[in-house]
Amino acid sequence: MAEAAFDVLVIGSGASGLAAAVSAEAAGARVALATKGSIQSCNSAKAQGGIQAAIGEDDSPEQHAEDVWRSSHETADRQLVEVLTSEAPSAIRWLEELGVEFTRENGGYRLARCGGASRKRLLQVGDRTGHAITAALRDSVEASGVTVLAKSPLHELEPAENGWRARCGDETIEAGAVVLAAGGRCFAEAERRGELSTNHPGATGEVTRIALDTGAQARDLDALQYHPNGGAWPETMQGYSIPETTRAYGAVLLNADGEEFTDSLAPRDVVSQAIFDEVEKGKGVETPDGRPAVYLDTTRIDPHDAELSLPYMLRRYRAGGIDPLAERILTYPVLHYQNGGLVIDTDAQTTLEGVYACGEIAGGTHGRNRMMGNSLLECVVFGRRAGRAAAARH
């Protein structure tokens, strides 16, 4: 006999889980949200750069889709990409309704061009976009009738008479549908490799493993992404993801001889590989504690752009005794994102009936290489879809 019964059980409290819970409840479902740590603990809140949406006059969802397809090296699921990019503008409006205030200037949004993009389409909330989005979504969950089960990690998932039975922490929950939104595994993978990661310590991948053991199919699970610009020095910045908007606003990568060695606005995997190759050639520099690095010349960023779009980064570095507008900073790729994940359809349903997946745990939308600014977008677009579809089952 289950201790609790709900229409929809959401696993995970990052942007995708929160968006799913809000959407499922708005559709009339009784919703529980279970999370491994506190409801605030997630990777989404650490996302800095921004969120993509084709809202510029020179842009279109079709152009956005083309950029995603090209950046994925034609490995993404075209149908999922189409959903992602066509629903991006409405996702932005929805977030604004929930209280997210994107940085604006000259009467419109402040848009930046990010790596792999052919247009300026990155909306930002300074350089703490993920923090702003998760805070607004969390406020919405906390003001709703969603039951939150903190410190209740998923241990087991099995089919039940009317859907699924899950053991979360000490609770046994029966639900008509389950939404898996528990993120990726890059923190655990970085530890295993002895590398740095941008990820929250909770990103260890157990829920993916449980889903696979239950029979769900996955794709591209081997395709982990390096963030090309991890902080390399000072020590307090190691593993920090330097916002890629630094490069959108003019910063360039330089080798030990002060030469540019790659297109600083190429897709993430291309830029990361170029840095690895440059260091391999002996053209890198060393951090004071002996780690490999190259220079990111942030002195080329206009101070106005930096104060408006990179305030958190400036504060962090200046607290460590380095002014990025006065001197170049040291950078090296760090493990950042699980590109692949559980196979989903356009409603975010996995290959298991009544089990949905959204956010980093799901695969296909980015193929084997994700563009920056599309993870927060994916969380919102497919989180909303998963929540609505899961609610429709009750």
Side-chain angles (χ1 to χ4, degrees):
M1 182 67 185
E3 285 180 26
F6 293 90
D7 300 318
V8 176
L9 169 64
V10 178
I11 306 293
S13 63
S16 59
L18 296 168
V22 170
S23 302
E25 211 225 9
R30 289 171 304 140
V31 182
L33 182 147
T35 182
K36 182 158 73 172
S38 71
I39 188 175
Q40 287 88 356
S41 303
C42 63
N43 266 341
S44 309
K46 292 162 70 79
Q48 291 158 150
I51 180 169
Q52 287 205 54
I55 53 177
E57 284 176 21
D58 64 342
D59 205 357
S60 68
E62 292 74 24
Q63 188 60 49
H64 186 179
E66 198 46 48
D67 289 348
V68 175
W69 178 242
R70 208 175 50 247
S71 292
S72 79
H73 311 296
E74 304 186 356
T75 60
D77 179 319
R78 291 295 299 240
Q79 281 187 298
L80 297 181
V81 173
E82 209 166 282
V83 168
L84 180 80
T85 61
S86 64
E87 294 189 6
S90 70
I92 297 300
R93 286 194 295 275
W94 185 66
L95 289 172
E96 288 182 320
E97 284 165 17
L98 294 180
V100 178
E101 294 182 21
F102 292 101
T103 305
R104 302 175 81 94
E105 64 177 354
N106 307 324
Y109 295 108
R110 181 174 172 80
L111 299 173
R113 184 166 83 85
C114 54
S118 58
R119 302 282 188 277
K120 288 185 174 184
R121 72 168 69 92
L122 190 78
L123 292 93
Q124 307 131 73
V125 183
D127 54 353
R128 300 198 74 189
T129 311
H131 181 269
I133 288 172
T134 50
L137 286 167
R138 206 162 48 238
D139 286 348
S140 191
V141 165
E142 288 171 349
S144 74
V146 173
T147 300
V148 175
L149 305 167
K151 299 187 177 151
S152 300
L154 179 70
H155 296 302
E156 289 170 20
L157 183 65
E158 59 183 17
E161 198 178 335
N162 298 312
W164 292 87
R165 183 179 298 112
R167 191 161 66 80
C168 299
D170 299 329
E171 303 267 344
T172 300
I173 296 164
E174 286 205 0
V178 176
V179 179
L180 303 178
R185 68 180 197 279
C186 281
F187 185 86
E189 190 65 30
E191 265 198 339
R192 196 179 68 74
R193 298 182 185 187
E195 296 179 10
L196 296 172
S197 167
T198 60
N199 279 208
H200 184 279
T204 45
E206 299 89 349
V207 174
T208 300
R209 173 55 46 211
I210 290 168
L212 296 178
D213 290 347
T214 310
Q217 288 176 19
R219 53 165 290 172
D220 304 318
L221 270 178
D222 61 314
L224 298 179
Q225 182 172 77
Y226 282 89
H227 189 297
N229 286 153
W233 191 259
E235 280 180 292
T236 51
M237 302 305 286
Q238 288 176 347
Y240 168 77
S241 54
I242 300 165
E244 278 180 87
T245 37
T246 50
R247 290 180 275 129
Y249 291 119
V252 293
L253 291 158
L254 304 174
N255 64 18
D257 300 328
E259 303 160 338
E260 280 190 59
F261 57 89
T262 187
D263 172 5
S264 291
L265 282 173
R268 278 182 166 172
D269 58 342
V270 174
V271 178
S272 293
Q273 195 56 53
I275 295 171
F276 290 139
D277 292 348
E278 203 68 10
V279 168
E280 191 72 22
K281 282 187 225 161
K283 292 287 195 84
V285 292
E286 261 195 13
T287 63
D289 65 347
R291 290 177 180 270
V294 294
Y295 293 115
L296 180 65
D297 188 358
T298 43
T299 66
R300 303 187 190 200
I301 302 172
D302 182 283
H304 168 75
D305 287 336
E307 298 295 345
L308 200 57
S309 289
L310 299 162
Y312 182 63
M313 184 201 90
L314 291 180
R315 208 159 59 240
R316 290 274 312 258
Y317 271 97
R318 285 168 177 166
I322 290 171
D323 182 355
L325 300 183
E327 59 185 297
R328 302 178 295 194
I329 57 180
L330 296 175
T331 187
Y332 194 72
V334 284
L335 261 185
H336 183 60
Y337 192 85
Q338 175 181 299
N339 287 314
L342 304 175
V343 170
I344 58 168
D345 65 13
T346 51
D347 275 333
Q349 185 168 237
T350 67
T351 53
L352 300 172
E353 182 78 19
V355 177
Y356 299 80
C358 49
E360 193 174 350
I361 198 171
T365 310
H366 313 296
R368 296 183 64 81
N369 182 61
R370 177 175 70 76
M371 292 176 78
M372 81 161 291
N374 276 346
S375 61
L376 287 171
L377 177 61
E378 180 200 19
C379 286
V380 176
V381 167
F382 285 99
R384 291 172 76 190
R385 283 193 157 232
R388 284 198 299 264
R393 301 183 72 87
H394 81 281

